[in-house]
Amino acid sequence: MQLIVKHKIKGENIPVTTSRKVAEFFEKEHKNVIRDIENLIEKDGLNFELNSMFILSTYKDTYKRDKKQYLLTFDGFTLLAMGFTGPKALEFKLAYIKAFNEMKKELEDFRFQRKIAKEGYKGLTGSLKDELGDDAKVYHFSNEADMINKIVLGLTAKQYCDIHKIDRKCMRDHLSSKDLEAISELEKYDEFLIRRGFTYKQREEELSEYHLRRLRKTLEVA
C-alpha cells in the first residue's frame, strides 16, 4: 500500500495521506477516522489552523458516487495519530513517519533537479541560437529537446503528455528526479557538442552512447 502521495497546494506539491489510507492501515472504520478528524477541527474553533492540516476531499466509491475523505499533511497525521493506541500503534506510526520523510526527500530532490534542468535548457537554447543565428526556428529548439526526451524517456514530449494526459507546458513537473537529472546531464553535454560543431545526427549518436554508459555505470554501482 502506498501510504503517502503528492498533492498540489498553492502551486506546490506536498506529501499527504488520506483518511481512507489511515483507516485501512490502522485497521479502523473510515467513518470513525473522519469523526476523529472533524472532532479535532471542531475543537480548533474559529482558529482555522487545522484546515491546512486536514483538507476536505472526495473519492469515488465502487458505485462511482462521490464520498467524503480528508487529505492529511504530516502535521495533520501526527496530531490525529496521537490518540491511536494499541499493541501495533507505535509500529504503524513509525512506518507512516518514515513514508512521509521519504516522500519529503523525493520532493526536495525533484525541486533541486527541476531547477538545474531549467538552467540546463536555457544554456542549450542559447548555444543553438548562437550556432544557427538568424536561421534559428522554433522547431530547432523543440527538435533538440525531443531528441533528449526520446533518449531518456523513450518518447517525445507530445507522446509522453498524451499517454499521461498532462499539459505539455508542464511535462517536466511530472518527471521523476532521476529522469530530470539525466535530462540535465544530456543538455549540458549537448550544449558542449553544439559549440564543438557536431551535427544534429552526430549529437544524437553521441548523446545516446553517453546515456547508455551512464545507465551501465548506475547498474554497476547498484
Side-chain angles (χ1 to χ4, degrees), residues 10-50:
K10 295 181 180 179
E12 182 177 357
N13 280 321
I14 64 166
V16 299
T17 188
T18 69
S19 52
R20 287 196 300 146
K21 290 181 185 292
V22 171
E24 182 180 355
F25 195 70
F26 284 88
E27 299 176 351
K28 295 177 176 291
E29 289 192 44
H30 186 220
K31 64 179 181 180
N32 292 337
V33 173
I34 286 181
R35 178 202 62 201
D36 293 343
I37 291 171
E38 292 181 341
N39 283 342
L40 287 170
I41 295 173
E42 187 177 341
K43 287 179 183 177
D44 190 45
L46 297 177
N47 190 14
F48 299 118
E49 186 176 351
L50 296 190

Side-chain angles (χ1 to χ4, degrees), residues 35-66:
R35 178 202 62 201
D36 293 343
I37 291 171
E38 292 181 341
N39 283 342
L40 287 170
I41 295 173
E42 187 177 341
K43 287 179 183 177
D44 190 45
L46 297 177
N47 190 14
F48 299 118
E49 186 176 351
L50 296 190
N51 287 339
S52 62
M53 301 182 192
F54 303 107
I55 304 158
L56 184 61
S57 179
T58 60
Y59 70 96
K60 297 286 187 183
D61 67 8
T62 54
Y63 297 101
K64 307 298 182 183
R65 296 173 300 187
D66 286 331

Side-chain angles (χ1 to χ4, degrees), residues 209-222:
E209 284 297 320
Y210 177 85
H211 186 59
L212 282 174
R213 291 196 298 270
R214 185 180 183 278
L215 289 176
R216 290 192 194 105
K217 187 175 180 181
T218 302
L219 290 172
E220 287 172 3
V221 172

Side-chain angles (χ1 to χ4, degrees), residues 83-97:
F84 293 171
T85 58
K88 291 187 176 181
L90 178 60
E91 178 187 344
F92 288 172
K93 290 175 189 177
L94 291 174
Y96 245 106
I97 291 170

Side-chain angles (χ1 to χ4, degrees), residues 29 85 111 167 206:
E29 289 192 44
T85 58
R111 292 184 191 114
D167 187 344
E206 180 60 27

